[in-house]
Amino acid sequence: DIQMTQSPSSVSASVGDRVTITCRASQGISSWLAWYQQKPGKAPKLLIYAASSLQSGVPSRFSGSGSGTDFTLTISSLQPEDFATYYCQQANSFPQVTFGGGTKVEIK
Amino acid sequence: QLQLQESGPGLVKPSETLSLTCTVSGGSISSSSYYWGWIRQPPGKGLEWIGSIYYSGSTYYNPSLKSRVTISVDTSKNQFSLKLSSVTAADTAVYYCARQLVVVAATIYWGQGTLVTVSS
């Protein structure tokens, strides 16, 4: 099974900061990587698919990059509504998927 | 507007079978473009994929849960269902049903989630 390791597990940041979250796969997954945002009490929301493609309606301050085993999610200028938990998800054997452990973005 | 709604008991006794149904409205479950999946999240923890089903009935399960999971589809009712047997407290979680889009290999639509507690 492919394991996904996210880091950091939490990050404290201020509005306007640039935030980067990383995700590492235990084996190569090409570009089969998605990123989700989850707010308390809500279902996750898809931000990025295929490692770098922005889901429709998602602000352009979100971007994704990487391929193979190492991936990043970047929020270029953190906004108040971005404080949430972010998950990566590999889909190399879709529909079988595996999620990373999550990164909580907190207010500094 | 597509909507997915989970339904089923919120409390299940240890060793019994957890049963949930997801009703899909605003779209057909009989589409070659999607898989229909179940994902869970224990309180305060991360997401775990349980399994998925294609409209044809083909199923895919998380290896760690495979021996206890059954997912089925009823295209006439536009529903799919989850059964998880021999539950323990570790199965306490919010259970989400979801639509997975094949072309992007990601989950676009999620139900609101339903909390299932395993307790005597």
Side-chain angles (χ1 to χ4, degrees), chain B residues 9-86:
Chain B
L11 181 64
V12 182
K13 290 182 168 55
S15 80
E16 295 189 345
T17 296
L18 179 159
S19 296
L20 294 174
T21 296
C22 183
T23 300
V24 179
S25 58
S28 174
I29 206 168
S30 300
S31 169
S32 60
S33 300
Y34 311 109
Y35 289 92
W36 304 90
W38 289 96
I39 295 157
R40 70 179 183 179
Q41 185 171 36
K45 296 188 178 180
L47 300 163
E48 179 180 36
W49 174 75
I50 300 170
S52 301
I53 191 165
Y54 201 50
Y55 76 97
S56 63
S58 297
T59 53
Y60 308 81
Y61 298 137
N62 186 323
S64 69
L65 298 170
K66 187 173 183 177
S67 63
R68 299 195 291 132
V69 174
T70 302
I71 296 176
S72 59
V73 64
D74 187 336
T75 55
S76 66
K77 294 182 179 179
N78 230 32
Q79 294 177 334
F80 62 106
S81 299
L82 167 70
K83 292 189 185 299
L84 180 66
S85 64
S86 304

Side-chain angles (χ1 to χ4, degrees), chain B residues 5 8 23 39 49 59 72 79 95 98 100 102 114 118-119:
Chain B
Q5 180 66 56
T23 300
I39 295 157
W49 174 75
T59 53
S72 59
Q79 294 177 334
Y95 285 76
Q100 300 170 281
V102 172
T114 186
V118 178
S119 175

Side-chain angles (χ1 to χ4, degrees), chain A residues 48-92:
Chain A
I48 302 283
Y49 62 90
S52 60
S53 296
L54 194 67
Q55 170 66 358
S56 175
V58 174
S60 59
R61 63 181 178 273
F62 291 93
S63 64
S65 64
S67 67
T69 60
D70 294 313
F71 302 86
T72 61
L73 172 70
T74 299
I75 309 172
S76 60
S77 178
L78 198 65
Q79 298 301 300
E81 60 268 31
D82 301 336
F83 291 97
T85 300
Y86 294 84
Y87 294 93
C88 63
Q89 171 231 281
Q90 69 82 17
N92 192 59

